[in-house]
Amino acid sequence: MWHIYNVFSELSTTMTIDRTMASSSTLNGTRFNYSITVILTSITITSSFVTPTSATTAPNAHNVTKVTTKPTTTAPGFLSSLLDKIPLPRWAIYAIITLILLVILICVVCCCVKCCCKGKKKKKKNADQKVNLKGISGTTTTALVQPGAEEVEYGSATQRRGKLLYSLEYNAGCSEMTVGVKEASGLKAMDHGETSDPYIKVYILPKKSKTFETKVFRKTLNPVFNENFKYQIPQKELSESTLVMQVYDFKRFSKHDVIGELRLQLSSVDWNHVIEEWRDLSEPSNHEQDQLGDICFSLRYVPTASKLTVVILEAKNLKKMDLGGSSDPYVKVQLILDKKKWKKKRTSVKKQTLNPYFNESFTFEVSFEQIQRVQLVISVWDHDKVSRNDAIGKIFLGCDASGNQLRHWADMLSNPRRPVAQWHTLLSAEQVDSTLALKHTLRIPFTNMAF
């Protein structure tokens, strides 16, 4: 009631003001009628929010009921004001939101697809694992998990390494044996692409005076070599010798892997006729003579400047030469011209290590005419302060070399001004020296004369 009283007080005041203004107006009561209408409308609205009280409540009482109103809708400009605070145009904001939603949608779809595929694989695996018990015979439980186990031979799980076709012929008149490496079939894959880069090493034990190598065939498991190698060997030594043919997988920047090998006791061979047959390769044996180690170096030849650069990079798995189970290795780099020692240099000594790192460079002046006749000899030695230095192993390259050594030399000549690096397996010093057949010369001290 107190609110109604206030409304009527405002009404009387407004009507008095409007009568005064209407008397001075030229619009003959129009504004007065409008004011009455507005005021009546405000009275109706105000009265609708007034809470009725008991009739005994006095207008000036203090227990007046409070009127509360609740907003029915959110402010319409909230989202717009929020977007205005972002320092980007509206189209960019919408594009970012769309992209985020698209990424979320793709992730959800991928998760669903992955879950479905897992379910299918699991069902398929369970179906494959079902064992049909019908038709299984046997009194032991092995027949339930390994049907036909009685037919399996022990050792059949050994992985096949392939087969090799070779030929043998011996000429007693000139004491010469010819070993023919024809072809290989079904070699074991050693590379990631389920293939190999095979080549074959051929040598005779126990002397191992000369080692031959075939050329490398790239990315094949069935190479055709058709190469022949000749050995000078007396007939009386055949009964004590073993022919070894090892198949390797070529790798330029790491140690070559052995695929398999074939060993033949020459004492059991019938030399009355030429032999040509297939044989399965076996796992390489570990009882052979000590491994001498491997060495990595790069070659670079510049024909216009007549410069041959040899960089000795590193060696690994060198043979133990000292009593403490180590070595003090260093490397000699030597040039042989027309079977005579020509120039040489050496690296520093690395103390007590079997895996030395050198990274030392040597440059020689070699003309283009001389590079066709020169032989490069890389030898690893064990340094001793008291006694004589011992040779650990050697390797030689040049136009007269074979196998990986000839391949490395040819790559250097075909790529002038570019260094070509490769790993090589060390050979015995006796084997390399007998192959080179150096002419020994006697030099007079303090002079350049040689005999």
Side-chain angles (χ1 to χ4, degrees), residues 171-186:
N171 188 342
C174 56
S175 300
E176 183 180 78
M177 182 180 68
T178 303
V179 181
V181 180
K182 303 301 181 181
E183 60 179 301
S185 175

Side-chain angles (χ1 to χ4, degrees), residues 286-300:
N286 297 322
H287 63 270
E288 197 174 321
Q289 62 181 14
D290 296 335
Q291 296 292 325
L292 302 178
D294 304 283
I295 186 170
C296 181
F297 56 89
S298 70
L299 302 177
R300 178 174 179 261

Side-chain angles (χ1 to χ4, degrees), residues 429-446:
E430 295 79 9
Q431 181 178 350
V432 174
D433 292 341
S434 62
T435 304
L436 291 174
L438 299 180
K439 296 178 181 179
H440 298 283
T441 58
L442 177 63
R443 289 186 175 275
I444 301 177
F446 307 107

Side-chain angles (χ1 to χ4, degrees), residues 5 13 29 43 46 51 56 66 132 134 198 224 257 309 374 394:
Y5 175 78
T13 304
I43 292 171
T46 306
T51 304
T56 60
K66 294 182 180 181
N132 185 9
K134 295 180 179 181
V224 179
D257 298 324
T309 303
V374 75
K394 290 184 178 183

Side-chain angles (χ1 to χ4, degrees), residues 237-287:
E237 294 183 5
L238 290 176
S239 59
E240 302 174 355
S241 302
T242 301
L243 176 65
V244 181
M245 291 177 279
Q246 290 183 325
V247 185
Y248 283 83
D249 176 41
F250 175 81
K251 296 182 185 299
R252 182 175 292 277
F253 300 110
S254 62
K255 185 178 180 180
H256 303 173
D257 298 324
V258 183
I259 299 176
E261 70 175 13
L262 182 61
R263 290 174 178 262
L264 297 174
Q265 299 294 332
L266 299 183
S267 59
S268 60
V269 177
D270 183 8
W271 298 107
N272 295 324
H273 57 276
V274 178
I275 299 172
E276 184 170 335
E277 62 180 355
W278 284 93
R279 281 207 182 183
D280 291 330
L281 295 173
S282 60
E283 186 177 359
S285 60
N286 297 322
H287 63 270

Side-chain angles (χ1 to χ4, degrees), residues 295-302 306-314 331-336 342-348 358-366 371 374-380 395-398 408-409 412-413 417-422 424:
I295 186 170
C296 181
F297 56 89
S298 70
L299 302 177
R300 178 174 179 261
Y301 183 66
V302 183
S306 299
K307 298 287 185 182
L308 172 64
T309 303
V310 182
V311 181
I312 305 298
L313 297 173
E314 60 178 317
V331 179
K332 281 185 181 180
V333 182
Q334 191 174 29
L335 294 182
I336 307 297
W342 185 27
K343 300 177 181 179
K344 67 177 180 179
K345 295 182 180 181
R346 55 172 286 179
T347 67
S348 58
F358 298 98
N359 196 23
E360 298 184 30
S361 178
F362 307 98
T363 302
F364 302 92
E365 289 188 7
V366 183
I371 202 69
V374 75
Q375 308 290 332
L376 172 66
V377 180
I378 306 292
S379 56
V380 183
I395 197 77
F396 82 96
L397 297 87
H408 193 180
W409 191 260
M412 177 199 70
L413 295 178
R417 295 178 295 276
R418 194 186 79 177
V420 181
Q422 186 172 317
H424 294 273

